[in-house]
Amino acid sequence: MERTLSIIKPDGTSRGLIGEVIKRLEENNIKIIAAKMIHMTKKQAQGFYAVHKERPFFDSLTDFMSSGPVVVMALTGENVIPRYRELMGATDYRKAAEGTIRKDFATDIEKNIVHGSDAPETAAFEISYFFNSFEIVA
Ligand code: CMP
């Protein structure tokens, strides 16, 4: 069983898409083992996305991610990392496959509704960034 970290970004929460994202998780047999709503500070967003700190979009991305509430969730399931990435669709919504969350709802490469970890090591870091062991039910 694998774990991954999902974030419903500020565009997803403000547009009323929390239920839609969770519905897709449940329909696809992906189990939520931790969840909370938080409003990150700019510093917390910078720490989360530290791997991108040299990228030109880092400042704008961390401004956006600290602009409103987000829902962070730890997910589990067999091959949940690639399976959740498939549900999300490509980072650039214009390249995302039909029926994916980003294809259906994203409006911008930055405002792309959801985040999902890209590898087991990243997932372990990202889950521990938001949750301690007492907050994870599995
Ligand atoms: P996410 O999966 O959260 O990981 C990094 C985020 O940076 C990405 O989704 C996008 O929201 C954002 N981003 C903004 N511009 C770019 C870009 N040119 N390439 C990749 N990611 C970008």
Side-chain angles (χ1 to χ4, degrees):
M1 284 300 233
E2 203 168 58
R3 288 179 176 184
T4 195
L5 190 275
S6 158
I7 305 179
I8 305 175
K9 298 184 178 188
D11 55 333
T13 61
S14 67
R15 288 174 56 200
L17 294 171
I18 297 170
E20 179 65 37
V21 172
I22 290 177
K23 177 167 76 90
R24 291 180 187 218
L25 295 174
E26 292 180 336
E27 280 173 355
N28 285 277
N29 206 22
I30 292 176
K31 196 173 159 208
I32 301 167
I33 53 173
K36 61 188 167 192
M37 180 177 265
I38 57 170
H39 187 153
M40 279 189 270
T41 63
K42 170 100 172 165
K43 230 181 165 143
Q44 287 167 336
Q46 287 170 330
F48 179 74
Y49 279 118
V51 63
H52 293 307
K53 66 176 183 297
E54 307 302 335
R55 308 284 286 271
F57 56 81
F58 183 67
D59 196 47
S60 169
L61 172 63
T62 53
D63 269 348
F64 167 58
M65 290 300 287
S66 57
S67 69
V70 300
V71 174
V72 288
M73 293 182 278
L75 311 175
T76 193
E78 243 172 74
N79 297 316
V80 72
I81 294 175
R83 282 174 55 220
Y84 182 50
R85 290 177 74 80
E86 208 175 312
L87 279 186
M88 291 193 299
T91 304
D92 183 348
Y93 73 102
R94 291 166 301 188
K95 297 180 185 149
E98 291 297 331
T100 60
I101 295 169
R102 286 166 170 166
K103 180 71 175 185
D104 288 346
F105 302 110
T107 54
D108 186 289
I109 194 165
E110 181 174 274
K111 296 180 180 59
N112 61 359
I113 312 288
V114 278
H115 166 83
S117 314
D118 61 4
E121 311 72 51
T122 337
F125 163 75
E126 294 184 351
I127 291 170
S128 69
Y129 195 77
F130 294 113
F131 298 103
N132 67 43
S133 59
F134 300 105
E135 295 173 305
I136 299 173
V137 298

